[in-house]
Amino acid sequence: MGIPIIDAHIHMMYFEKQTPGALDWVKSFYGEENFQDFYDKMCDPDHFVAYLRANGVDYGFIFAELCPAVTGICSNESVLEFCAGREALIPIASINPHLTVNLDQELSRLVKAG
């Protein structure tokens, strides 16, 4: 492998809670009739890695999202689970100061978690 290609900003398709506006925006790229199939495939981490590789991407930074008022919630734990055991997927944590009381403690917890 030469120089690795990294997609440095990816959000998972799966959100524990997603605002209607954010979901409508995502659906607008795929069409209502094709969305569920695309969603199901992109929620499978092994399929997602294959998708990255098929598009020439070696690594992807997968971001958690803790923005319930704007887009929704994709927890740090969901991202860790999605990335677990897959070298190509690098989890990126999110800490929202409006949702977390002890920021230092949360950061330490997330670093230890992976």
Side-chain angles (χ1 to χ4, degrees):
M1 171 166 55
I3 297 172
I5 304 299
I6 301 168
D7 186 329
H9 194 131
I10 301 171
H11 291 276
M12 291 173 37
M13 288 298 291
Y14 172 77
F15 273 58
E16 285 93 340
K17 175 184 179 272
Q18 195 164 34
T19 63
L23 186 57
D24 288 345
W25 180 76
V26 172
K27 285 181 178 180
S28 74
F29 291 98
Y30 305 101
E32 195 70 41
E33 66 281 351
N34 299 324
F35 179 73
Q36 191 61 52
D37 183 51
F38 179 79
Y39 176 88
D40 292 342
K41 287 178 183 174
M42 293 298 116
C43 286
D44 176 322
D46 293 323
H47 182 83
F48 189 77
V49 170
Y51 176 79
L52 290 178
R53 296 278 160 76
N55 285 281
V57 177
D58 300 302
Y59 300 97
F61 292 175
I62 311 298
F63 282 78
E65 178 101 9
L66 302 178
C67 298
V70 179
T71 52
I73 301 287
C74 178
S75 70
N76 293 302
E77 290 72 23
S78 290
V79 170
L80 283 169
E81 183 180 329
F82 189 77
C83 296
R86 295 166 186 88
E87 183 180 292
L89 304 180
I90 300 155
I92 305 295
S94 177
I95 300 174
N96 183 331
H98 298 288
L99 301 175
T100 303
V101 176
N102 188 329
L103 301 176
D104 293 343
Q105 183 179 347
E106 179 66 357
L107 177 59
S108 294
R109 183 186 77 79
L110 292 169
V111 169
K112 288 176 187 169

